[in-house]
Amino acid sequence: MIEHTYIEFLGLELADPLTFISDILMAVFCAFFGHRLFHDLKSKYAKLSAYFFLFLGVSAFLGGTSHLLDLYLGKTPHLIAWTLQGVSILFFQLASLRLLSSAKVKFFLRALIFSFFGIFIAQIFSVQHFDVVKVNSIVGLIGFVSCIHIYKYFESGDKTYVRIPLTIILFAGPALIHSFGLNFNKWIDQNVISHLLLLPCYYLLYNAVKQVAMLKKKTQRVPQQVPLKEK
C-alpha cells in the first residue's frame, strides 16, 4: 500500500509532491512527442498515434494534479484521468488499423475496439480502481497494437514493424514496479519510480511509431497513370 506524503504550501496540504512532478514530466514528454508526430509526418497513422501521446499527456497532467490536491478534489479527477488514458489507447488501436488493407477486417476490428472501450468506461466508473486501466492497457497495447504490427512484419518482412511490440514489452518493467509496490522510501515510491522509467519507454515508442509512419508513407502505392491510346 502506498504511504502518502504531504507538504504544506500557501496554507494547502499537498499530497505526494514527487508523484506530481513525475506526472508533469510524463505530460511534457508525451505532449512533445504527440506534437512532433502530428506536425512532422503527414499520415493518418502518425496523426492518430499523435493523439495517443497527447491524450496520455493530458491524463498524466490531470492525474498528477489529482494526486497533489487529493484532499480537496476527491476521486473524480482520478476517474477522468484514467478515462483519458483509455482514450489514448483507443487512438493507438485506431492508428494500428491503418496498417491493414482489408476493409472487412478493419470494420470488424473497429467494432471490437469500440465495444471493449465501452466496457472499459463502464468498469472505470463502477469498479473505480486503477486495475481497470492496467487491464485495458494490456489488452489494447499487447493484444491488439502489438499483434497487428507483428502481423505486418510477417506480411512484409520489414523489421521496422517489430520495433513497436518490442518497445511495448519494455513497459512491463514500470508496470511490475507499480504492481508490486517497489520503492526506495515513502517519498520515492512506486508511482515516482515507474513514472521516471516510463520516460525512456515513451521516447523509444515515439521513435518506433515515427519509423513505421515513414515506412508506411514510403511503401504506399503511387497511382500510376494509364497511358493514352494512340488514335
Side-chain angles (χ1 to χ4, degrees), residues 153-166:
Y153 162 68
F154 283 109
E155 182 186 57
S156 66
D158 197 308
K159 295 181 180 179
T160 303
Y161 292 108
V162 185
R163 293 183 61 179
I164 298 292
L166 289 179

Side-chain angles (χ1 to χ4, degrees), residues 87-115:
V87 173
S88 72
I89 300 295
L90 174 68
F91 273 109
F92 205 3
Q93 291 173 303
L94 295 176
S96 301
L97 283 183
R98 305 295 301 183
L99 300 176
L100 303 177
S101 54
S102 172
K104 290 183 179 180
V105 172
K106 287 197 288 187
F107 176 81
F108 171 75
L109 291 178
R110 189 177 289 111
L112 192 63
I113 288 170
F114 281 104
S115 297

Side-chain angles (χ1 to χ4, degrees), residues 37 44-53 55-56 85-99 113 137 140-142 144-146 148-149 163-165 167-168 171 202 205-206 208-210 212:
L37 286 174
K44 197 71 174 178
Y45 174 86
K47 290 187 182 301
L48 289 170
S49 299
Y51 285 125
F52 161 73
F53 282 105
F55 273 96
L56 200 58
Q85 187 166 341
V87 173
S88 72
I89 300 295
L90 174 68
F91 273 109
F92 205 3
Q93 291 173 303
L94 295 176
S96 301
L97 283 183
R98 305 295 301 183
L99 300 176
I113 288 170
S137 298
L141 295 179
I142 297 178
F144 195 92
V145 173
S146 293
I148 287 183
H149 285 81
R163 293 183 61 179
I164 298 292
T167 304
I168 288 175
F171 284 76
Y202 288 144
L205 185 59
Y206 157 72
V209 169
K210 183 173 66 173
V212 171

Side-chain angles (χ1 to χ4, degrees), residues 194-211:
S194 60
H195 291 171
L196 293 178
L197 290 178
L198 280 171
L199 298 180
C201 294
Y202 288 144
Y203 172 73
L204 292 173
L205 185 59
Y206 157 72
N207 268 311
V209 169
K210 183 173 66 173
Q211 293 299 320

Side-chain angles (χ1 to χ4, degrees), residues 10-65:
L10 298 178
L12 296 174
E13 287 288 332
L14 304 179
D16 304 321
L18 292 186
T19 298
F20 169 73
I21 293 172
S22 63
D23 269 311
I24 294 303
L25 282 174
M26 287 201 303
V28 171
F29 270 60
C30 289
F32 175 75
F33 297 147
H35 178 270
R36 291 294 301 268
L37 286 174
F38 191 88
H39 291 284
D40 293 354
L41 299 167
K42 308 298 182 182
S43 76
K44 197 71 174 178
Y45 174 86
K47 290 187 182 301
L48 289 170
S49 299
Y51 285 125
F52 161 73
F53 282 105
L54 292 172
F55 273 96
L56 200 58
V58 175
S59 172
F61 174 79
L62 186 56
T65 305

Side-chain angles (χ1 to χ4, degrees), residues 113-137:
I113 288 170
F114 281 104
S115 297
F116 193 81
F117 179 72
I119 296 172
F120 163 74
I121 294 296
Q123 290 294 304
I124 278 290
F125 289 95
S126 59
V127 179
Q128 297 191 4
H129 198 281
F130 191 69
D131 284 346
V132 178
V133 180
K134 292 180 182 178
V135 171
N136 182 69
S137 298

